[in-house]
Amino acid sequence: MRKRFPMQIPDDTVLMAYADGELSADVSDQVEGWIARMPAMQARVAAFMHSRALLQAALAAPLHEPTPHQSAALIGALGAMIASERKRKVVPLRTPRGDSPIIGYALAAGLAAIIIGFGSGLAWQSSVDYAVRMAALDAASAAALSQAVALTLETSPNYRAVMFHSASGIRQSITPLATFVTDDGAICREYLLAGRSEEIATACRDDNGRWLPRPVTGRRT
Amino acid sequence: MHESSETSSFGDQLVSLMPRLRRFAIGLTSSTHEGDDLVQSACQRALERTEQWRPGTRLDSWMYRIMQTIWLERLRAGAIRTSFLREQIEGPIVDGVRDADARTTFGKVRRILDEIPDQQRSVLLLVCVEGLSYREAAAVLDVPTGTVMSRLARARKTVMDRLDGMPSTAPAEASTDKEAAHA
């Protein structure tokens, strides 16, 4: 066909690349020259094309299924959270080592907070209302804590704890555990409040971006 | 939900990619449940790091990369059930469906895919199913193009060899396999 084939006999990988349309026109021409002379190669190329078509067809089902409602809702909600958080000029910082981000921000006086990696695998059993916990704290700390909780729920992914301590010496960590959408479309998060004792609470985000404690009977996503 | 910021348009793009992200995740994890969970985790991570995505580059490639990373993290953490256990847990609910599915060619392909080593499976899904070029797949997986090619060739050989080795039920498939209509 062509006057010369500078290329060696194409191996399986080259035939695959030909079948996948990955070769330049020049190299494709050469491969076609070989295929014309060696019908076995034609069969290999066909097998590679077939395997591709088969895989595509075998995995096509998710394309025909509706996107789970909650995933789309969650993306919208998470996007809105992050956008509103940026408006408040939260500056995300990179840690010098590793992958866990530190988010620095200004909080109420007397309260310092950093977000640290916490790891997963938390265990919990009880569920105590958030408001009960609040009553146990002095008023200033309670306000600060609820700010810290709101900020954590806005910014921290599941299983990443926010550590903080108040001026009166109360130390707490807040760890979001789950994020879900209730049937009426509210975004809620379950979180672990850990200090002298550990409690689980749930809060939902209202249209104004406030996180309100709320007992929820929703589906976990 | 609220204002149209950069982030929410980013979110819109993400939502429009969702069917393909799910397809990749379900292929990667061999499980609808695990796949949906992986997609959600990846979206969450992406939204936290939108500033790391360079506009003008392919968002789908970036998302595949995030999913692949999370999946590797989970595999390394030992958080992933083996496919045997997964079948024990998810199997009984859809026994009839599973049995019927296993007899179709597509069912067999999915089963073979489940048995292919993780590294090869990622390449196979990215190139053959998601339609990425070798170079794009190499960028997603952070390996040389040559590695993509060798993994891809091995994985496809496995698919074709095992499929040939399985008892054929072609006549039944032609009439009962609903997916044939999609193909």
Side-chain angles (χ1 to χ4, degrees), chain A residues 12-14 16-20 22-23 44 47-68 70-80 82-84 86-87 92 94 99 101 155-158 160 179 185-187 189 205-209 221, chain B residues 1-3 5-8 10-12 14-15 18-20 22-24 26-27 32 36-37 39-40 43-45 47-52 73 105-107 109-110 113 124-125 127-135 145-146 148-150 152-154 156-157 159-161 163 179 182-183:
Chain A
D12 236 24
T13 310
V14 173
M16 177 184 76
Y18 172 75
D20 288 342
E22 286 274 340
L23 300 180
R44 285 307 292 161
F48 280 121
M49 287 177 168
H50 185 52
S51 65
R52 185 188 190 106
L54 214 50
L55 281 157
Q56 262 180 16
L59 291 174
L63 297 185
H64 306 293
E65 292 163 6
T67 299
Q70 289 170 337
S71 290
L74 202 62
I75 286 174
L78 287 168
I82 291 163
S84 68
R86 282 190 181 152
K87 269 201 197 124
R94 300 289 299 171
D99 195 33
T155 58
S156 186
N158 292 344
R160 191 173 296 162
T179 308
I187 301 300
R189 301 193 80 180
R205 195 177 194 274
D206 72 9
D207 288 342
N208 299 316
T221 60
Chain B
M1 231 180 201
H2 297 289
E3 49 281 319
S5 59
E6 272 179 38
T7 308
S8 66
F10 182 87
D12 290 343
L14 214 47
V15 171
M18 196 60 72
R20 287 172 53 214
R22 281 190 79 227
R23 175 174 63 177
F24 179 66
I26 291 169
T32 305
D36 280 335
D37 188 64
V39 168
Q40 186 174 318
C43 287
Q44 191 170 346
R45 188 172 292 190
L47 286 162
E48 285 157 15
R49 302 178 182 185
T50 47
E51 74 283 350
Q52 291 178 16
E73 286 168 6
T105 300
F106 295 152
V109 171
R110 282 190 289 267
L113 190 65
L124 199 58
L125 292 169
V127 174
C128 289
V129 182
E130 302 303 326
L132 267 59
S133 70
Y134 294 174
R135 191 179 296 176
T145 310
V148 164
M149 290 175 74
S150 60
L152 187 61
R154 254 178 294 156
R156 276 156 98 170
K157 192 171 182 325
V159 171
M160 299 315 289
D161 288 353
L163 208 54
E179 282 160 312
H182 290 308

Side-chain angles (χ1 to χ4, degrees), chain A residues 64-122:
Chain A
H64 306 293
E65 292 163 6
T67 299
H69 160 74
Q70 289 170 337
S71 290
L74 202 62
I75 286 174
L78 287 168
M81 279 182 207
I82 291 163
S84 68
E85 196 53 44
R86 282 190 181 152
K87 269 201 197 124
R88 290 206 289 275
K89 298 197 167 50
V90 169
V91 183
L93 304 171
R94 300 289 299 171
T95 48
R97 59 182 171 76
D99 195 33
S100 34
I102 293 179
I103 299 181
Y105 46 81
L107 268 185
L111 192 75
I114 54 166
I115 293 180
I116 60 164
F118 201 65
S120 56
L122 293 163

